[in-house]
């Protein structure tokens, strides 16, 4: 996979050479291009932003600087108008353009999985009050897969940290990235229909007076699996009832249903419902 990242602070992305992502680059699984947006400016101040039309605080990133940069990364000629962009549908569809934006849908594991199948990702990091609102529409009109994501309900100083999060969540799903694929499948949000993962323990069996759950020492795999499944249902019910509500009741076994009923769920319809309502 090729990943291009555009930012006015390209040094933010030096971390990509560390740890598993560094190894993935060595193995040729992923190749990064880190670009400074100011390289596409033509004025002496290398300015990338301007005041918002209509007034208001802060600065907005100029569409022409971004478009020159993105056209270069996509290897396309600039177009004169949105009409031309509309007519140019079906351009190289292997590139996905991703813009972090606090006012966008939340990035989830499902999005990471989708992005992990792309051949070419281009991330554009906004700063200040963000990028000109015409930019995503301009590339979507040309047939590109353009996505805007927030990484959570809080505002960061810019998109760099959000892009680091999305890149890490995405690249670790590329085939061959993780030594042990099972560990990805067992994780929260991916395995077990999205239930939160059970807690994990290692040796010693007793530490500072606290013992690991006895069943985990039994060697009885069926009991261990059941114990872990129950833990996941309990944790998810307490911490993320929205995930329980999305479960498919037909995929719950008898013991799942019994436990969920004890935890205050009605499990006879398509999806569990809370007895007390939410
Ligand atoms: N830019 C600023 N805050 C952000 C957020 N929460 N998610 C994505 N991009 C952002």
């Amino acid at each position: 996979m090729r990943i291009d990242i555009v930012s006015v602070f390209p040094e933010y992305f030096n971390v990509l050479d560390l740890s598993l992502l560094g190894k993935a680059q060595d193995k040729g699984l992923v190749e990064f291009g880190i670009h400074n947006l100011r390289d596409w400016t033509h004025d002496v101040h290398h300015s990338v932003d301007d005041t918002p039309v209509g007034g208001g605080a802060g600065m907005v990133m100029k569409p022409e600087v971004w478009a020159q940069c993105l056209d270069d990364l996509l290897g396309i000629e600039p177009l004169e108008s949105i009409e031309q962009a509309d007519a140019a549908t079906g351009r190289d569809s292997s590139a996905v353009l991703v813009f972090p934006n606090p006012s966008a849908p939340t990035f989830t594991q499902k999005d990471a999985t989708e992005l992990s199948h792309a051949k070419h990702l281009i991330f554009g990091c906004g700063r200040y009050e963000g990028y000109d609102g015409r930019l995503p529409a301009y590339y979507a009109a040309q047939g590109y897969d353009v996505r805007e994501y927030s990484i959570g309900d809080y505002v960061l100083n810019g998109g760099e940290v959000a892009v680091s999060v999305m890149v890490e969540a995405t690249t670790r799903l590329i085939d061959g990235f993780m030594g042990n694929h099972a560990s990805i499948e067992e994780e929260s949000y991916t395995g077990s229909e999205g239930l939160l993962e059970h807690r994990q323990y290692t040796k010693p069996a007793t530490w500072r007076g606290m013992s690991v759950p006895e069943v985990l020492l039994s060697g009885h795999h069926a009991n261990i699996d059941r114990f872990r499944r129950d833990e996941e249902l309990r944790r998810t019910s307490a911490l993320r009832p929205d995930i329980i509500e999305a479960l498919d009741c037909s995929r719950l076994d008898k013991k799942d249903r019994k436990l969920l009923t004890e935890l205050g769920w009605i499990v006879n319809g398509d999806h569990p419902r809370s007895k007390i309502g939410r």
Side-chain angles (χ1 to χ4, degrees):
M1 177 190 286
R2 164 87 188 176
I3 300 181
D4 286 294
I5 303 177
V6 185
S7 164
V8 287
F9 295 113
E11 309 79 29
Y12 252 103
F13 297 98
N14 292 345
V15 290
L16 298 176
D17 292 337
L18 301 177
S19 183
L20 286 175
L21 254 178
K23 284 202 189 115
Q25 289 183 73
D26 294 343
K27 282 197 255 175
L29 291 175
V30 52
E31 177 190 70
F32 286 101
I34 310 296
H35 313 277
N36 190 338
L37 181 66
R38 294 194 199 280
D39 292 347
W40 280 271
T41 57
H42 304 290
D43 62 318
V44 280
H45 301 296
H46 299 290
S47 50
V48 293
D49 57 347
D50 207 337
T51 52
V53 176
M59 299 290 270
V60 179
M61 297 186 103
K62 290 144 89 76
E64 63 267 35
V65 178
W66 269 109
Q68 285 189 21
C69 165
L70 295 173
D71 286 349
D72 276 356
L73 296 181
L74 290 164
I76 57 176
E77 289 302 318
L79 300 169
E80 288 302 313
S81 64
I82 187 73
E83 287 76 22
Q84 281 189 11
D86 269 331
T89 53
R91 293 232 199 183
D92 171 18
S93 57
S94 68
V96 182
L97 275 63
V98 186
F99 297 101
N101 181 344
S103 308
T106 310
F107 184 75
T108 65
Q109 188 68 27
K110 182 170 164 281
D111 300 308
T113 305
E114 280 176 26
L115 294 186
S116 74
H117 297 128
K119 271 201 220 138
H120 186 190
L121 297 177
I122 301 180
F123 289 93
C125 304
R127 278 262 145 188
Y128 321 112
E129 290 302 306
Y131 42 83
D132 187 285
R134 290 165 289 187
L135 201 61
Y138 175 74
Y139 286 97
Q142 295 178 56
Y144 289 107
D145 183 352
V146 180
R147 298 172 182 224
E148 294 177 273
Y149 291 118
S150 164
I151 60 157
D153 291 344
Y154 37 78
V155 179
L156 304 165
N157 290 333
E160 284 74 10
V161 170
V163 166
S164 304
V165 168
M166 290 190 269
V167 165
E168 181 157 328
T170 299
T171 50
R172 64 197 295 284
L173 300 177
I174 296 173
D175 264 350
F177 185 97
M178 299 282 273
N180 177 5
H181 203 74
S183 67
I184 285 191
E185 264 152 31
E186 282 168 14
E187 282 172 346
S188 298
Y189 305 114
T190 50
S192 310
E193 309 112 84
L195 296 178
L196 302 187
E197 202 189 343
H198 56 81
R199 291 221 191 259
Q200 296 277 14
Y201 307 90
T202 183
K203 294 176 269 304
T206 302
W207 169 78
R208 297 195 177 180
M210 298 166 77
S211 297
V212 301
E214 217 173 311
V215 61
L216 300 179
L217 303 166
S218 68
H220 191 299
H221 294 297
N223 287 356
I224 292 174
D225 287 349
R226 188 65 244 172
F227 172 81
R228 288 178 163 164
R229 173 83 177 169
D230 287 352
E231 268 270 297
E232 292 181 351
L233 289 167
R234 279 204 181 86
R235 280 178 72 75
T236 311
S237 172
L239 301 174
R240 292 291 305 272
D242 57 307
I243 296 178
I244 299 285
E245 282 169 350
L247 290 176
D248 177 353
C249 281
S250 68
R251 298 188 58 187
L252 297 171
D253 69 19
K254 241 175 146 177
K255 288 181 175 160
D256 293 337
R257 286 162 191 267
K258 183 164 175 289
L259 176 59
L260 284 174
T261 307
E262 283 165 22
L263 293 172
W265 295 91
I266 302 165
V267 275
N268 55 12
D270 289 346
H271 305 284
R273 283 163 294 138
S274 168
K275 266 183 212 155
I276 49 168
R278 280 215 304 137

